[in-house]
C-alpha cells in the first residue's frame, strides 16, 4: 500500500533515482561550428542541392528584390510606367541575374531615352528653321511678284 511504500522509502530501501541528464551542449557547439561553415562538405550532405536550399526560394528572393526596386523607382518618378512595365516583364522572364544588372539596364534605358529626346528636339528645331526659311523665301517671292506687277 502507499503507507508501506512510504515506510520503505523512509528506511532507505527504496530510493528515487536522479533524473537522467540529456545535455544539448554538444549540439549547440556543433551548430555554432556549422554556422561558421564547418562540417558541411560534400561528405556530410545527404539531400540534393535543391532539397537543401530550393531553387524556388532563391527565385522568390531574387524576384521580390527586383520588383521592390522597380516599384520604388517608379514611385520616385525615376522611371516612367512604360520602362517599368518592360523591365517588370523582363524580370519575370528571368532576364536579370541580380539587382546590380537590373540597375545597369535601367541606367542604359534612361540614357537612351534622354538621347532620343535630345535628337527629337534637334530635329524639331531643324524643321522649324527650315519652315521659317521657306516662309521668308515665299515672302520674298511674293514681294518680287508684287513689285513686278506694280511696275507693269
Amino acid at each position: 500500500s502507499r503507507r508501506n511504500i512510504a515506510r520503505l522509502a523512509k528506511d532507505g530501501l527504496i530510493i528515487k533515482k536522479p533524473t537522467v541528464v540529456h545535455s544539448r551542449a554538444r549540439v549547440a557547439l556543433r551548430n555554432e561550428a556549422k554556422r561558421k561553415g564547418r562540417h558541411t562538405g560534400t561528405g556530410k550532405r545527404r539531400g540534393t542541392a535543391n532539397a537543401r536550399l530550393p531553387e524556388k526560394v532563391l527565385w522568390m528572393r531574387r524576384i521580390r528584390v527586383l520588383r521592390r526596386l522597380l516599384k520604388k523607382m517608379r514611385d520616385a518618378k525615376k522611371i516612367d510606367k512604360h520602362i517599368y512595365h518592360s523591365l517588370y516583364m523582363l524580370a519575370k522572364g528571368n532576364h536579370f541575374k541580380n539587382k546590380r544588372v537590373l540597375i545597369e539596364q535601367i541606367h542604359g534605358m534612361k540614357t537612351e531615352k534622354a538621347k532620343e529626346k535630345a535628337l527629337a528636339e534637334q530635329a524639331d528645331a531643324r524643321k522649324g528653321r527650315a519652315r521659317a526659311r521657306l516662309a521668308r523665301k515665299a515672302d520674298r517671292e511674293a514681294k518680287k511678284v508684287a513689285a513686278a506687277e506694280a511696275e507693269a
Side-chain angles (χ1 to χ4, degrees):
S1 66
R2 288 171 66 91
R3 196 171 285 140
N4 290 344
I5 297 290
R7 186 173 290 122
L8 288 170
K10 196 177 89 172
D11 294 345
L13 293 170
I14 297 176
I15 57 169
K16 183 184 178 211
K17 290 178 79 175
T19 55
V20 178
V21 176
H22 186 181
S23 172
R24 287 192 52 81
R26 284 185 300 277
V27 176
L29 203 66
R30 191 172 181 85
N31 286 342
E32 187 64 40
K34 274 193 168 186
R35 253 195 294 285
K36 292 179 181 174
R38 319 289 191 263
H39 318 293
T40 54
T42 48
K44 292 288 182 184
R45 299 179 196 168
R46 292 294 296 269
T48 62
N50 195 34
R52 291 164 66 84
L53 182 59
E55 292 159 10
K56 184 175 180 179
V57 170
L58 295 174
W59 164 260
M60 288 186 331
R61 281 182 194 165
R62 190 170 91 220
I63 200 71
R64 283 173 183 169
V65 165
L66 298 178
R67 286 177 176 172
R68 198 180 307 126
L69 175 75
L70 284 172
K71 282 186 187 73
K72 199 168 84 176
M73 292 190 100
R74 182 190 59 187
D75 293 341
K77 301 280 191 283
K78 288 186 179 172
I79 56 174
D80 64 353
K81 64 181 182 180
H82 305 292
I83 290 179
Y84 168 84
H85 184 70
S86 62
L87 290 174
Y88 188 98
M89 296 314 281
L90 285 174
K92 184 182 180 182
N94 198 19
H95 190 82
F96 304 114
K97 179 181 173 185
N98 53 35
K99 188 170 159 180
R100 181 181 52 82
V101 176
L102 174 60
I103 291 171
E104 283 174 12
Q105 176 98 353
I106 289 170
H107 289 318
M109 285 180 105
K110 281 173 78 173
T111 54
E112 183 109 0
K113 199 152 194 165
K115 236 181 248 177
E116 282 176 12
K117 192 176 179 186
L119 287 173
E121 284 174 3
Q122 286 175 5
D124 283 346
R126 205 173 293 125
K127 283 178 186 171
R129 286 197 299 271
R131 262 188 239 108
R133 198 180 312 117
L134 284 171
R136 283 197 304 272
K137 193 174 182 182
D139 286 346
R140 223 178 290 125
E141 291 293 324
K143 283 182 184 174
K144 275 184 186 177
V145 170
E149 286 177 0
E151 283 179 18

